[in-house]
Amino acid sequence: QVQLVESGGGLVQAGGSLRLSCAASGRAVSTYVMGWFRQAPGKEREFVAFIRWSGNTAYGDSVKGRFTISRDNAKNTLYLQMNSLKPEDTAVYYCAAGGSGSSYYAPAYNYWGQGTQVTVSS
């Protein structure tokens, strides 16, 4: 089993930055694909980014060029650097790990964190 705990969310003004962290425990996740998803009230969970064990990354169209995903396998930690934040980025952000299938979709992941709230004011 893998436990994931997100941190770093909060309230920020439009144009600002936040860095989310996701600490994994239970087993090493260095060989797992890891991703970030987000869910705004009344909306479906949305793909944000993933990173494979090889370091290959992919981003959702709405965050491309503004967000950067990274991982520190020695620390068993996943990061999401969010710059140029917009009010439409407001959501609960979830960390996910493991699984199989297309990493763009939530059902592909076996493990999920509880989420961290990000609120961007205009």
Side-chain angles (χ1 to χ4, degrees), residues 17 20 39 49 59 67 76 79 82 95 104-105 109 112 119:
S17 298
L20 304 184
Q39 189 164 17
Y59 297 89
F67 290 12
N76 236 20
Y79 302 99
M82 306 186 295
C95 167
Y104 291 91
Y105 299 99
Y109 296 82
W112 290 86
T119 303

Side-chain angles (χ1 to χ4, degrees), residues 32-37 46-60 63 67-71 78-80 94 96-98 101-106 108-109:
Y32 288 14
V33 61
M34 297 190 75
W36 289 99
F37 288 76
E46 176 189 14
F47 167 71
V48 175
F50 70 72
I51 183 167
R52 299 193 187 284
W53 66 269
S54 60
N56 289 344
T57 60
Y59 297 89
V63 306
F67 290 12
T68 302
I69 190 171
S70 61
R71 64 194 298 169
L78 177 72
Y79 302 99
L80 185 69
Y94 296 91
S102 174
S103 300
Y104 291 91
Y105 299 99
Y109 296 82

Side-chain angles (χ1 to χ4, degrees), residues 8-119:
L11 174 64
V12 64
Q13 288 189 331
S17 298
L18 281 175
R19 188 193 196 204
L20 304 184
S21 298
C22 172
S25 62
R27 67 171 62 176
V29 294
S30 58
T31 61
Y32 288 14
V33 61
M34 297 190 75
W36 289 99
F37 288 76
R38 66 187 184 186
Q39 189 164 17
K43 295 189 176 182
E44 293 187 353
R45 194 163 293 193
E46 176 189 14
F47 167 71
V48 175
F50 70 72
I51 183 167
R52 299 193 187 284
W53 66 269
S54 60
N56 289 344
T57 60
Y59 297 89
D61 289 342
S62 61
V63 306
K64 206 170 292 184
R66 300 188 297 122
F67 290 12
T68 302
I69 190 171
S70 61
R71 64 194 298 169
D72 185 334
N73 288 332
K75 295 183 178 179
N76 236 20
T77 302
L78 177 72
Y79 302 99
L80 185 69
Q81 178 67 44
M82 306 186 295
N83 298 329
S84 302
L85 282 161
K86 304 175 181 180
E88 50 263 45
D89 294 318
T90 295
V92 177
Y93 283 71
Y94 296 91
C95 167
S100 61
S102 174
S103 300
Y104 291 91
Y105 299 99
Y109 296 82
N110 287 339
Y111 307 106
W112 290 86
Q114 293 299 308
T116 185
Q117 176 70 47
V118 171
T119 303

